């Protein structure tokens, strides 16, 4: 039994798991049939380009689901190259096979299809899906994924009059994804993106939302971009933060929110201003030049136009953003996906089994630009790592090929995999010595963001941790020349990608796989390889193993 839970809590979780297992059969299925194609898009209004569409749409269709739903998504790849979708923030319990990243899932070859079977188990909140291979993300192929609370599970705010999705992200209008990938493959850095898109549109004030005075609306905002932090605001209006990547937050008011790459937020906005049009402004932060796009918030019978977009960067972006980040906390008494309060799990009292200090770096290796974590720059092997593990194919990767702490021995390339024990409780410190803002994501989990500050982390930094009401989420920023610390309970067996969400850095090596491992192979801890799994590389001619439960 894990050392991080006392017997009572563990029994409670076991009991809940059994109850959930009994009702499993009743969890509804939702079916999706998606065709992925290239199509003409012109998000900047002035440079038509080839985008990745799903069922003809950019952004792709929105997935609505309810906690514990089973989503069966048949993805037909009509592109001229292999394709995979991944599910940002969906925890895929016991099921890393469906994660849709290089290390877990064989790419869908052109002209072929693969049916993902994923369960949005024990989750609520706002997430998104995106194409994970190469630089596909720079061509679209993303969409939002909502997990609503089950009926009868209390939501800590009244039902809003409307629920809007804002997929925002930086965008290259003048380079297609193949050109961007070729630049990186040749060892170059990417130029600054050209613009910012709001739901696939980069032409300011050509999109609008109609609202009614006096009503309250929910806005779900995800940064689906490639590198830039984006600040979101609605002029004249305050936003009440209610949810961060599946956690109901303390409901504080903000005039603007910094949303880092890969992150999702939900806010409530009450239309309490004089009836006219207002600008919704999305602008880059922590960038040398500012990119900005606006949309219009239209009060239903307003005749007055919106005032011009105002962009005011705070004088000290870092201090502003850090202060805001620290103010975002969990509402301990609100329910999450279950009726019991989110605060009933006392993460601050659990013994830490292991500390990882992950230090990012950038360097030239063989005259080519590379990025690394703890001096190891990730390179893919010829076979997905999870399949190599499943079929016990040796030599694909070596567990332990990335150290727990920085070595400062110079950068090397490797198929970086870190072993971790199932049910270990781990502290991860992201140390950023660089002058750029980092954003890190861990698949399969959400973690408590217990602390962040400027400078270098030391043992004494632990005194600043929030061990009471930190938010759990799956993506965290690390400010320039700063650190961020998270706690994570490794309760989900599988091969899980830990990566920079700065996509060029991810592509050039700033990622690794966390192999959460249980020596007893049991269906209680991990599912079998799906029957329809595509096989590739050295797993091409293998057959599924049979493990008795
Ligand atoms: C491809 O789609 C067909 C239905 O169109 C389905 O029966 C089959 O299982 C899918 N293939 C995979 C590998 O999921
Ligand atoms: C926290 O959630 C509870 C329960 O839904 C709610 O009554 C309370 O207003 C919330 N508190 C804050 C500060 O958001
Ligand atoms: C605006 O529209 C609402 C109905 O949506 C109506 O009740 C109200 O009188 C209108 N206000 C003005 C100023 O026309």
């Amino acid at each position: 039994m894990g050392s991080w839970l006392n017997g009572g809590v563990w029994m409670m979780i076991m009991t809940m798991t059994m109850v959930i297992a009994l009702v499993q059969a009743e969890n509804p299925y939702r079916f999706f049939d998606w065709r992925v194609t290239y199509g003409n898009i012109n998000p900047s209004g002035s440079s038509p380009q080839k985008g990745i569409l799903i069922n003809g749409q950019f952004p792709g269709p929105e997935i609505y689901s309810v906690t514990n739903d089973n989503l069966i998504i048949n993805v037909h790849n009509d592109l001229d190259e292999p394709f995979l979708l991944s599910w940002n923030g969906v925890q895929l319990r016991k099921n890393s096979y469906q994660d849709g990243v290089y290390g877990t899932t064989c790419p869908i070859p052109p002209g072929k299809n693969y049916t993902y079977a994923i369960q949005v188990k024990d989750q609520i909140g706002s997430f998104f899906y995106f194409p994970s291979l190469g630089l596909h993300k720079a061509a679209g192929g993303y969409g939002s994924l909502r997990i609503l609370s089950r009926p009868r599970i209390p939501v800590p705010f009244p039902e809003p009059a409307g629920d809007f999705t804002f997929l925002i992200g930086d965008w290259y209008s003048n380079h297609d994804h193949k050109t961007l990938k070729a630049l990186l493959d040749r060892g170059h850095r990417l130029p600054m993106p050209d613009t910012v898109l709001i739901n696939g549109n980069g032409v300011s004030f050509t999109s609008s939302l109609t609202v009614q005075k006096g009503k309250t609306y929910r806005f779900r905002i995800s940064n689906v971009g490639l590198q830039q932090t984006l600040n979101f605001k609605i002029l004249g209006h305050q936003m009440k933060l209610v949810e961060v990547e599946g956690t109901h937050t303390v409901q504080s008011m903000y005039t603007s929110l910094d949303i880092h790459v890969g992150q999702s937020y939900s806010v409530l906005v009450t239309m309490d201003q004089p009836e006219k049009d207002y600008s919704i402004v999305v602008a880059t932060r922590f960038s040398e030049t500012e990119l900005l796009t606006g949309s219009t918030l239209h009060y239903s019978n307003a005749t007055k136009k919106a005032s011009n977009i105002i962009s005011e960067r705070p004088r000290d972006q870092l201090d502003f953003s850090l202060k805001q980040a620290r103010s975002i906390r969990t509402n301990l008494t609100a329910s999450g996906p279950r009726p019991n309060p989110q605060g009933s799990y006392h993460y601050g009292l659990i013994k830490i089994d292991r500390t990882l200090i992950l230090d990012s770096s950038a360097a030239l290796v063989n005259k080519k630009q590379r990025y690394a974590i703890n001096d190891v720059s990730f390179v893919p092997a010829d076979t997905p790592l999870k399949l190599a593990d499943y079929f016990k194919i040796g030599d694909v990767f070596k567990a332990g090929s990335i150290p727990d702490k920085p070595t400062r021995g110079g950068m090397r390339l490797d198929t970086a995999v870190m072993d971790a024990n199932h049910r270990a409780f781990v502290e991860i410190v992201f140390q950023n010595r660089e002058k750029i803002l980092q954003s890190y994501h861990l698949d399969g989990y959400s973690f408590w963001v217990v602390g962040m500050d400027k400078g270098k982390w030391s043992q004494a930094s632990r005194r600043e941790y929030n061990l009471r009401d930190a938010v759990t989420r799956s993506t965290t920023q690390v400010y320039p020349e700063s650190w961020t610390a998270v706690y994570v309970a490794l309760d989900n067996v599988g091969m899980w990608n830990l990566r920079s969400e700065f996509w060029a850095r991810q592509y050039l090596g700033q990622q690794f796989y966390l192999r959460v491992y249980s020596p007893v192979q049991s269906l209680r801890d991990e599912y079998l390889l799906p029957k329809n799994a595509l096989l590739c590389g050295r797993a091409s001619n293998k057959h599924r193993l049979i493990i008795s439960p």
Side-chain angles (χ1 to χ4, degrees):
M1 213 101 306
S3 60
W4 53 277
L5 287 177
N6 67 40
V9 178
W10 183 246
M11 274 311 290
M12 195 181 80
I13 289 181
M14 288 290 284
T15 313
M16 287 191 303
T17 311
M18 276 155 59
V19 171
I20 288 163
L22 287 176
V23 300
Q24 190 93 357
E26 291 173 15
N27 293 323
Y29 281 75
R30 291 173 196 262
F31 296 90
F32 302 83
D33 199 51
W34 284 0
R35 200 158 281 283
V36 181
T37 58
Y38 282 123
N40 293 324
I41 56 173
N42 190 1
S44 70
S46 54
S47 27
Q49 54 192 138
K50 203 163 75 171
I52 294 180
L53 314 183
I54 297 180
N55 289 356
Q57 298 172 40
F58 169 61
E62 187 148 49
I63 297 182
Y64 288 83
S65 61
V66 175
T67 304
N68 293 346
D69 279 357
N70 295 290
L71 310 179
I72 310 297
I73 307 169
N74 194 351
V75 177
H76 304 263
N77 176 15
D78 285 353
L79 304 181
D80 57 357
E81 47 182 70
F83 184 81
L84 274 180
L85 286 177
S86 188
W87 322 96
N88 213 71
V90 177
Q91 285 173 22
L92 303 175
R93 311 285 315 167
K94 314 177 192 181
N95 203 0
S96 60
Y97 309 108
Q98 306 284 8
D99 202 17
V101 287
Y102 146 77
T104 61
T105 316
C106 290
I108 310 170
K112 295 279 192 298
N113 68 298
Y114 172 65
T115 310
Y116 290 87
I118 67 181
Q119 193 186 9
V120 289
K121 197 164 163 59
D122 266 327
Q123 285 192 271
I124 52 152
S126 314
F127 307 97
F128 64 91
Y129 62 86
F130 69 96
S132 67
L133 298 181
L135 270 286
H136 286 168
K137 208 181 176 200
Y142 52 72
S144 93
L145 193 161
R146 295 178 181 188
I147 311 174
L148 309 178
S149 297
R150 284 171 290 170
R152 291 190 293 279
I153 306 286
V155 175
F157 46 87
E159 180 75 15
D163 195 328
F164 303 120
T165 293
F166 275 73
L167 297 177
I168 60 177
D170 51 8
W171 185 262
Y172 290 92
S173 308
N174 304 314
H175 297 84
D176 70 11
H177 73 91
K178 289 185 184 178
T179 315
L180 294 170
K181 180 171 172 294
L183 276 173
L184 295 176
D185 288 339
R186 287 203 301 272
H188 300 297
R189 294 178 182 224
L190 293 188
M192 174 79 184
D194 303 309
T195 185
V196 172
L197 305 190
I198 302 176
N199 293 334
N201 186 341
V203 189
S204 283
F205 304 114
T206 52
S207 66
S208 72
L209 273 185
T210 300
V211 293
Q212 287 189 348
K213 188 173 162 90
K215 300 233 158 109
T216 298
Y217 298 83
R218 181 172 184 168
F219 291 70
R220 299 175 191 251
I221 314 146
S222 297
N223 185 335
V224 295
L226 299 165
Q227 64 180 70
Q228 293 297 326
T229 296
L230 296 172
N231 180 266
F232 181 93
K233 67 180 161 189
I234 304 176
L235 296 189
H237 293 74
Q238 293 268 308
M239 302 182 284
K240 186 192 271 183
L241 185 68
V242 292
E243 182 242 337
V244 169
E245 294 160 31
T247 302
H248 285 135
T249 60
V250 168
Q251 298 179 4
S252 309
M253 305 301 286
Y254 297 90
T255 50
S256 79
L257 274 175
D258 278 355
I259 303 176
H260 307 281
V261 199
Q263 295 185 332
S264 299
Y265 286 85
S266 281
V267 295
L268 297 179
V269 183
T270 299
M271 302 306 154
D272 54 3
Q273 296 300 306
E275 286 180 276
K276 56 175 193 141
D277 288 354
Y278 295 87
S279 301
I280 301 171
V281 183
V282 179
T284 56
R285 287 278 161 87
F286 300 96
S287 56
E288 273 164 36
T289 52
E290 186 183 55
L291 304 173
L292 172 159
T293 295
S295 178
T296 303
L297 181 80
H298 172 68
Y299 276 56
S300 60
N301 43 15
T303 50
K304 252 169 104 186
K305 283 263 178 291
S307 43
N308 289 334
I309 325 188
I310 305 169
S311 156
E312 283 160 354
R313 284 190 171 196
R315 227 171 347 113
D316 197 324
Q317 298 178 63
L318 201 161
D319 286 337
F320 167 90
S321 197
L322 183 59
K323 184 159 167 257
Q324 177 172 89
R326 286 183 178 144
S327 73
I328 298 173
R329 290 174 295 128
T330 300
N331 180 339
L332 296 174
T333 60
S335 302
R338 294 183 184 161
N340 51 314
Q342 300 177 125
S344 53
Y345 189 100
H346 299 285
Y347 69 91
L349 303 178
I350 299 164
K351 188 179 123 315
I352 304 289
D353 296 313
R354 182 170 170 188
T355 295
L356 308 178
I357 298 178
L358 304 181
D359 190 2
S360 65
S361 56
L364 295 179
V365 177
N366 303 328
K367 300 199 182 118
K368 288 182 166 183
Q369 183 65 51
R370 296 295 303 184
Y371 299 96
I373 297 176
N374 287 356
D375 288 318
V376 187
S377 184
F378 185 87
V379 282
D382 59 5
T383 306
L385 311 176
K386 184 64 214 168
L387 293 191
D389 225 4
Y390 189 83
F391 292 118
K392 305 199 172 6
I393 306 168
D395 299 337
V396 173
F397 67 88
K398 228 171 55 244
S401 40
I402 173 167
D404 282 17
K405 311 227 152 72
T407 51
R408 307 277 156 76
M411 196 182 286
R412 63 190 173 86
L413 308 185
D414 205 340
T415 305
V417 176
M418 185 186 283
D419 256 353
N421 293 331
H422 184 210
R423 302 212 180 102
F425 193 79
V426 176
E427 173 191 40
I428 305 177
V429 178
F430 296 102
Q431 181 71 56
N432 181 9
R433 286 178 297 143
E434 300 179 73
K435 290 189 188 335
I436 61 137
L437 188 139
Q438 308 266 7
S439 183
Y440 281 100
H441 177 87
L442 175 59
D443 282 353
Y445 287 95
S446 65
F447 43 61
W448 288 268
V449 183
V450 293
M452 51 177 77
D453 208 345
K454 293 191 254 189
K456 192 168 182 298
W457 180 89
S458 71
Q459 309 261 347
S461 308
R462 290 189 175 125
R463 289 201 289 266
E464 297 175 30
Y465 284 5
N466 174 355
L467 295 181
R468 197 176 156 269
D469 60 357
V471 282
T472 56
R473 64 188 314 171
S474 53
T475 310
T476 185
Q477 70 272 37
V478 190
Y479 290 104
E481 300 176 304
S482 301
W483 56 268
T484 295
V486 307
Y487 282 180
V488 56
L490 297 182
D491 57 0
N492 194 11
V493 170
M495 185 72 79
W496 301 109
N497 191 211
L498 190 155
R499 61 173 175 266
S500 171
E501 289 282 281
F502 189 139
W503 212 247
R505 286 180 166 251
Q506 178 273 153
Y507 183 74
L508 292 183
Q510 202 173 325
Q511 59 168 316
F512 67 88
Y513 282 81
L514 190 66
R515 179 173 176 258
V516 179
Y517 181 76
S518 159
V520 281
Q521 288 188 339
S522 157
L523 288 176
R524 226 189 57 187
D525 296 332
E526 191 176 26
Y527 297 148
L528 292 176
L529 183 70
K531 283 202 186 68
N532 65 335
L534 301 172
L535 299 177
C536 57
R538 276 183 270 165
S540 298
N541 49 12
K542 301 280 180 185
H543 300 284
R544 281 169 86 245
L545 307 177
I546 306 298
I547 308 174
S548 46

Coordinates of all heavy atoms in Angstrom, one line a residue, residues 305-351:
K305 N -20.6 51.8 -31.0 CA -19.5 51.0 -31.3 C -18.5 50.9 -30.1 O -18.5 51.7 -29.3 CB -18.7 51.6 -32.5 CG -19.4 51.3 -33.8 CD -18.8 50.1 -34.5 CE -19.4 49.7 -35.8 NZ -20.8 49.2 -35.7
A306 N -17.7 49.8 -30.2 CA -16.7 49.6 -29.1 C -15.7 50.7 -29.2 O -15.4 51.2 -30.3 CB -16.0 48.3 -29.3
S307 N -15.1 51.1 -28.1 CA -14.0 52.1 -28.1 C -12.8 51.3 -28.6 O -12.8 50.1 -28.7 CB -13.8 52.7 -26.7 OG -13.9 51.6 -25.8
N308 N -11.8 52.1 -29.0 CA -10.6 51.4 -29.6 C -10.0 50.5 -28.6 O -10.1 50.6 -27.4 CB -9.6 52.5 -30.0 CG -10.1 53.2 -31.2 OD1 -10.9 52.7 -32.0 ND2 -9.6 54.5 -31.4
I309 N -9.3 49.5 -29.2 CA -8.6 48.5 -28.3 C -7.6 49.3 -27.5 O -6.8 50.1 -28.0 CB -7.8 47.5 -29.1 CG1 -8.5 47.0 -30.4 CG2 -7.5 46.3 -28.2 CD1 -7.7 45.9 -31.0
I310 N -7.6 49.0 -26.2 CA -6.5 49.6 -25.4 C -5.6 48.4 -25.0 O -6.1 47.4 -24.5 CB -7.1 50.2 -24.2 CG1 -8.1 51.2 -24.5 CG2 -6.0 50.8 -23.3 CD1 -8.9 51.7 -23.4
S311 N -4.4 48.6 -25.3 CA -3.4 47.6 -24.8 C -2.5 48.3 -23.8 O -1.8 49.2 -24.2 CB -2.7 47.0 -26.0 OG -1.5 46.5 -25.5
E312 N -2.6 47.9 -22.6 CA -1.7 48.4 -21.6 C -0.9 47.3 -20.9 O -1.5 46.6 -20.2 CB -2.5 49.2 -20.5 CG -3.0 50.5 -20.9 CD -4.1 50.9 -20.0 OE1 -4.6 50.1 -19.2 OE2 -4.6 52.1 -20.2
R313 N 0.3 47.2 -21.3 CA 1.1 46.2 -20.6 C 1.5 46.7 -19.2 O 1.9 47.9 -19.1 CB 2.4 45.9 -21.3 CG 2.2 45.1 -22.6 CD 3.5 44.7 -23.1 NE 3.3 43.7 -24.1 CZ 4.3 42.9 -24.6 NH1 5.5 43.0 -24.1 NH2 4.1 42.1 -25.5
P314 N 1.4 45.9 -18.2 CA 1.8 46.4 -16.9 C 3.3 46.7 -16.9 O 4.0 46.1 -17.7 CB 1.6 45.3 -15.9 CG 1.3 44.1 -16.8 CD 0.9 44.5 -18.1
R315 N 3.8 47.7 -16.2 CA 5.2 48.1 -16.3 C 6.1 46.9 -15.9 O 7.0 46.7 -16.6 CB 5.5 49.3 -15.3 CG 6.2 50.3 -16.0 CD 6.4 51.6 -15.3 NE 5.5 51.8 -14.1 CZ 6.0 51.8 -12.9 NH1 7.3 51.7 -12.6 NH2 5.1 51.9 -11.9
D316 N 5.7 46.2 -14.9 CA 6.5 45.0 -14.7 C 5.6 43.7 -14.9 O 4.9 43.3 -14.0 CB 7.1 45.0 -13.2 CG 8.2 43.9 -13.2 OD1 8.1 42.9 -13.8 OD2 9.2 44.2 -12.5
Q317 N 5.7 43.2 -16.1 CA 4.9 42.1 -16.5 C 5.1 40.9 -15.5 O 4.1 40.2 -15.2 CB 5.2 41.6 -17.9 CG 4.9 42.7 -18.9 CD 5.3 42.2 -20.3 OE1 4.8 41.2 -20.8 NE2 6.3 42.8 -20.9
L318 N 6.3 40.7 -15.1 CA 6.6 39.5 -14.3 C 6.0 39.6 -12.9 O 5.3 38.7 -12.5 CB 8.1 39.3 -14.2 CG 8.6 37.9 -13.8 CD1 10.1 37.7 -14.2 CD2 8.4 37.6 -12.4
D319 N 6.1 40.8 -12.3 CA 5.6 41.0 -11.0 C 4.0 40.9 -11.0 O 3.4 40.2 -10.2 CB 6.0 42.3 -10.4 CG 7.4 42.3 -9.9 OD1 7.9 41.2 -9.7 OD2 8.1 43.3 -9.9
F320 N 3.5 41.5 -12.0 CA 2.0 41.4 -12.2 C 1.5 40.0 -12.3 O 0.6 39.5 -11.6 CB 1.6 42.2 -13.5 CG 0.2 42.0 -13.9 CD1 -0.8 42.8 -13.4 CD2 -0.1 41.0 -14.8 CE1 -2.2 42.6 -13.8 CE2 -1.4 40.8 -15.2 CZ -2.4 41.6 -14.7
S321 N 2.2 39.3 -13.2 CA 1.8 37.9 -13.5 C 2.0 36.9 -12.3 O 1.2 36.1 -12.0 CB 2.6 37.4 -14.8 OG 1.9 36.3 -15.3
L322 N 3.1 37.1 -11.7 CA 3.5 36.2 -10.5 C 2.4 36.5 -9.4 O 2.0 35.5 -8.8 CB 4.9 36.6 -10.1 CG 5.5 35.8 -8.9 CD1 5.5 34.3 -9.2 CD2 6.9 36.3 -8.6
K323 N 2.1 37.7 -9.2 CA 1.2 38.1 -8.1 C -0.2 37.4 -8.5 O -0.9 36.8 -7.6 CB 1.1 39.6 -8.0 CG 0.2 40.1 -6.9 CD 0.5 41.5 -6.5 CE -0.6 42.1 -5.6 NZ -1.5 43.0 -6.3
Q324 N -0.6 37.6 -9.7 CA -1.9 37.0 -10.1 C -1.8 35.5 -10.0 O -2.8 34.9 -9.4 CB -2.1 37.3 -11.6 CG -3.4 36.7 -12.1 CD -3.7 37.3 -13.5 OE1 -3.3 36.7 -14.5 NE2 -4.5 38.3 -13.6
A325 N -0.7 34.8 -10.4 CA -0.7 33.4 -10.3 C -0.8 32.9 -8.9 O -1.5 31.9 -8.6 CB 0.7 32.9 -10.9
R326 N -0.2 33.6 -8.0 CA -0.2 33.2 -6.5 C -1.6 33.4 -5.9 O -2.0 32.8 -4.9 CB 0.8 34.0 -5.7 CG 2.2 33.6 -6.0 CD 3.1 34.4 -5.1 NE 4.4 34.0 -5.2 CZ 5.4 34.9 -5.1 NH1 5.1 36.2 -4.9 NH2 6.7 34.5 -5.1
S327 N -2.4 34.3 -6.6 CA -3.7 34.6 -6.0 C -4.8 33.5 -6.4 O -5.9 33.5 -5.9 CB -4.2 36.0 -6.5 OG -4.6 35.9 -7.8
I328 N -4.4 32.7 -7.3 CA -5.3 31.6 -7.8 C -5.3 30.4 -6.9 O -4.3 29.7 -6.8 CB -5.0 31.3 -9.3 CG1 -5.2 32.5 -10.2 CG2 -5.9 30.1 -9.8 CD1 -4.7 32.4 -11.6
R329 N -6.4 30.2 -6.2 CA -6.4 29.1 -5.2 C -7.6 28.2 -5.4 O -8.6 28.6 -6.0 CB -6.3 29.7 -3.8 CG -5.0 30.3 -3.5 CD -4.9 31.1 -2.2 NE -5.8 32.2 -2.2 CZ -6.7 32.5 -1.3 NH1 -6.9 31.7 -0.3 NH2 -7.5 33.5 -1.4
T330 N -7.6 27.1 -4.8 CA -8.7 26.1 -4.8 C -9.8 26.5 -3.8 O -9.4 26.9 -2.7 CB -8.2 24.7 -4.4 OG1 -7.2 24.3 -5.4 CG2 -9.3 23.7 -4.5
N331 N -11.0 26.5 -4.2 CA -12.1 26.6 -3.2 C -12.3 25.2 -2.6 O -12.8 24.3 -3.2 CB -13.4 27.0 -3.9 CG -14.6 27.2 -3.0 OD1 -14.5 26.6 -1.9 ND2 -15.6 27.9 -3.4
L332 N -11.8 25.2 -1.3 CA -11.7 23.9 -0.7 C -13.1 23.3 -0.4 O -13.2 22.0 -0.2 CB -10.9 24.0 0.7 CG -9.4 24.4 0.5 CD1 -8.8 24.6 1.9 CD2 -8.7 23.3 -0.2
T333 N -14.1 24.1 -0.2 CA -15.4 23.6 0.2 C -16.3 23.3 -1.1 O -17.3 22.6 -0.9 CB -16.1 24.6 1.1 OG1 -16.3 25.8 0.4 CG2 -15.4 24.8 2.4
A334 N -15.8 23.7 -2.2 CA -16.6 23.4 -3.4 C -16.4 22.0 -3.9 O -15.4 21.4 -3.6 CB -16.2 24.3 -4.6
S335 N -17.4 21.4 -4.5 CA -17.3 20.0 -5.1 C -16.5 20.1 -6.4 O -16.5 21.1 -7.1 CB -18.6 19.4 -5.4 OG -19.4 19.4 -4.3
G336 N -15.8 19.0 -6.7 CA -15.2 18.8 -8.0 C -16.0 17.9 -8.8 O -17.2 18.1 -8.9
P337 N -15.4 16.8 -9.3 CA -16.2 15.8 -10.1 C -17.1 15.0 -9.1 O -18.0 14.3 -9.6 CB -15.2 15.0 -10.8 CG -13.9 15.3 -10.1 CD -14.0 16.6 -9.4
R338 N -16.8 15.0 -7.9 CA -17.5 14.2 -6.9 C -18.2 15.1 -5.9 O -17.8 16.2 -5.8 CB -16.6 13.2 -6.1 CG -16.0 12.2 -7.0 CD -15.1 11.3 -6.2 NE -14.4 10.3 -7.0 CZ -13.3 9.7 -6.7 NH1 -12.8 9.9 -5.5 NH2 -12.8 8.8 -7.5
P339 N -19.2 14.6 -5.2 CA -19.9 15.5 -4.3 C -19.0 15.9 -3.1 O -19.3 17.0 -2.5 CB -21.1 14.6 -3.7 CG -20.8 13.2 -4.2 CD -19.8 13.3 -5.3
N340 N -18.0 15.2 -2.7 CA -17.2 15.6 -1.6 C -16.3 16.8 -1.9 O -15.9 17.0 -3.1 CB -16.3 14.4 -1.1 CG -15.5 13.8 -2.2 OD1 -16.1 13.5 -3.3 ND2 -14.2 13.6 -2.0
P341 N -16.0 17.6 -1.0 CA -15.3 18.9 -1.3 C -13.9 18.6 -1.8 O -13.3 17.6 -1.4 CB -15.3 19.6 0.1 CG -16.1 18.8 1.1 CD -16.4 17.5 0.5
Q342 N -13.4 19.5 -2.7 CA -12.1 19.3 -3.3 C -11.0 19.4 -2.2 O -10.0 18.8 -2.4 CB -11.8 20.5 -4.2 CG -12.8 20.6 -5.4 CD -12.5 21.8 -6.2 OE1 -12.4 21.7 -7.4 NE2 -12.5 23.0 -5.6
G343 N -11.3 20.0 -1.0 CA -10.3 20.2 0.0 C -10.1 19.0 0.9 O -9.3 19.0 1.8
S344 N -10.9 17.9 0.6 CA -10.8 16.7 1.5 C -9.6 15.9 1.4 O -9.3 15.1 2.1 CB -12.1 15.8 1.4 OG -12.3 15.5 0.1
Y345 N -8.8 16.2 0.3 CA -7.5 15.5 0.1 C -6.4 16.5 0.6 O -6.2 17.5 0.0 CB -7.4 15.3 -1.4 CG -6.3 14.4 -1.8 CD1 -6.5 13.0 -2.0 CD2 -5.0 14.9 -1.9 CE1 -5.4 12.2 -2.4 CE2 -3.9 14.1 -2.2 CZ -4.2 12.7 -2.5 OH -3.1 11.9 -2.8
H346 N -5.8 16.1 1.7 CA -4.8 17.0 2.3 C -3.4 16.8 1.8 O -2.6 16.2 2.4 CB -4.9 16.9 3.8 CG -6.2 17.3 4.4 ND1 -6.7 18.6 4.5 CD2 -7.3 16.5 4.8 CE1 -7.9 18.6 4.9 NE2 -8.3 17.3 5.2
Y347 N -3.2 17.3 0.6 CA -1.9 17.1 -0.1 C -0.7 17.6 0.7 O 0.4 17.1 0.5 CB -1.9 17.7 -1.5 CG -1.9 19.2 -1.5 CD1 -0.7 19.9 -1.5 CD2 -3.1 19.9 -1.4 CE1 -0.7 21.3 -1.5 CE2 -3.1 21.3 -1.4 CZ -1.9 22.0 -1.4 OH -1.9 23.4 -1.4
G348 N -1.0 18.6 1.5 CA 0.2 19.2 2.2 C 0.7 18.4 3.4 O 1.7 18.6 3.9
L349 N -0.1 17.3 3.7 CA 0.3 16.4 4.8 C 1.0 15.2 4.4 O 1.4 14.3 5.2 CB -0.9 16.1 5.7 CG -1.7 17.2 6.2 CD1 -2.9 16.7 7.0 CD2 -0.8 18.1 7.1
I350 N 1.1 15.0 3.1 CA 1.7 13.7 2.6 C 3.2 13.8 2.5 O 3.8 14.8 2.1 CB 1.0 13.4 1.2 CG1 -0.5 13.3 1.4 CG2 1.6 12.1 0.6 CD1 -1.3 13.3 0.1
K351 N 3.8 12.7 2.9 CA 5.3 12.6 2.9 C 5.8 12.6 1.4 O 5.3 11.8 0.6 CB 5.7 11.4 3.6 CG 7.2 11.3 3.9 CD 7.6 10.1 4.7 CE 8.6 9.1 4.0 NZ 8.6 8.7 2.7

